[in-house]
Amino acid sequence: MQPPRSLIEVAPRVYQVRLRGTSSFLLLDSRVTIVDTGTVGSGRRILEALNAAGRRPDEVEQIIITHYHPDHMGSLPELRQRLGMRTAVHVLEAPFVEGRLPMPNVFPRHRNVLSRVAQPILERWPFTPVPVDLVLHDGDELPVLGGLRVVHTPGHTPGHVCLYVRDLALLVVGDALQYRRGALDLPSRVFTEDMDEARRSVAKLALLEVQTIAFSHFRPVQRAGSEHLRRFALEVAPAG
Ligand SMILES: [Zn+2]
Ligand SMILES: [Zn+2]
């Protein structure tokens, strides 16, 4: 069967599921890990993609959330209800996902300029809290595809994580980086809480041996990932 166009093979056993304006990832090991869940209402498409990849819902072991923005965990409550799998979130963002702290404004900068735009979006964001079963820390390694390392990359949000699969030289960067006109770029200023932190996080990613970089909002870069990262880290290094 030909996989649907919305399913991109990023690396062996790793698929990017293209959703409305964002992505989810399927990591196919003996069990399945889903990374991010798209906006509210994306659950059905993720399950269709899982089926197209030849796996069943009862094989899903966990969902890892890269960060708490609505285009990354909008369908978490829905999927959790349907699949009952465990949820993994960085320690700094778990209190928001669990509803112990109110979800922060997703437009930290330009609050005044964008308030008219932001308000309707926030009103459509009645996030149902979800229990976090696995609290992630920098350097944690999960037994997925030979070892999936959690890399804490604050900046875009305080508890943003990238995921590094050493055996595949694969780095899933979520929103820590963008890819425009053939080059890496910092995360969008409008949606990013601390640009200096975001720059420091790029330097951290440049230390990894990477072939493939997978982004939430762009197609993957499938070769020479480290060269891209190291060149870009020098470009954006904070002064001093
Ligand atoms: Zn984001
Ligand atoms: Zn995003």
Side-chain angles (χ1 to χ4, degrees):
M1 187 178 70
Q2 193 72 11
R5 282 225 318 268
S6 60
L7 207 54
I8 300 169
E9 187 175 9
V10 172
R13 295 187 290 164
V14 178
Y15 290 90
Q16 179 176 8
V17 183
R18 301 277 272 165
L19 302 167
R20 264 177 317 176
T22 184
S23 302
S24 172
F25 293 88
L26 305 178
L27 279 51
L28 311 180
D29 204 333
S30 55
R31 303 206 62 200
V32 176
T33 295
I34 298 176
V35 177
D36 286 346
T37 65
T39 49
V40 174
S42 303
R44 190 173 55 84
R45 283 188 67 171
I46 293 172
L47 294 179
E48 283 169 4
L50 184 69
N51 182 51
R55 304 298 292 261
R56 296 187 317 269
D58 64 3
E59 293 179 275
V60 178
E61 178 179 29
Q62 60 196 347
I63 292 194
I64 303 174
I65 297 296
T66 61
H67 64 295
Y68 56 34
H69 281 165
D71 53 325
H72 295 260
M73 60 170 208
S75 292
L76 177 61
E78 176 191 345
L79 282 175
R80 167 100 184 186
Q81 202 179 20
R82 287 200 194 192
L83 303 177
M85 73 295 136
R86 73 177 183 183
T87 302
V89 179
H90 187 266
V91 61
L92 291 177
E93 297 190 8
F96 301 98
V97 176
E98 294 194 306
R100 288 184 280 122
L101 288 174
M103 201 58 83
N105 190 339
V106 294
F107 295 97
R109 287 161 175 271
H110 317 293
R111 194 170 275 132
N112 299 331
V113 182
L114 278 168
S115 59
R116 269 182 307 141
V117 182
Q119 206 48 45
I121 293 172
L122 293 172
E123 280 167 10
R124 271 188 267 118
W125 177 223
F127 183 74
T128 310
V130 167
V132 173
D133 310 284
L134 183 63
V135 173
L136 302 175
H137 299 85
D138 186 48
D140 283 355
E141 190 146 316
L142 308 184
V144 175
L145 298 174
L148 177 80
R149 192 195 306 168
V150 174
V151 186
H152 181 213
T153 45
H156 182 63
T157 65
H160 187 287
V161 294
C162 295
L163 302 168
Y164 177 56
V165 183
R166 192 188 44 241
D167 288 0
L168 299 176
L170 166 71
L171 184 64
V172 178
V173 296
D175 281 358
L177 287 168
Q178 302 191 81
Y179 190 69
R180 295 182 178 283
R181 292 178 287 280
L184 294 177
D185 201 353
L186 289 169
S188 149
R189 294 186 74 82
V190 175
F191 299 104
T192 294
E193 298 188 27
D194 187 330
M195 288 305 280
D196 284 339
E197 282 267 47
R199 287 188 175 87
R200 281 192 283 276
S201 288
V202 175
K204 191 170 179 180
L205 296 177
L207 299 174
L208 302 168
E209 289 304 327
V210 178
Q211 181 77 15
T212 302
I213 309 173
F215 308 86
S216 294
H217 299 285
F218 306 89
R219 296 181 73 90
V221 167
Q222 287 175 300
R223 47 189 298 275
S226 283
E227 284 168 40
H228 277 90
L229 286 165
R230 283 164 197 167
R231 207 179 316 126
F232 187 59
L234 288 175
E235 242 174 71
V236 300

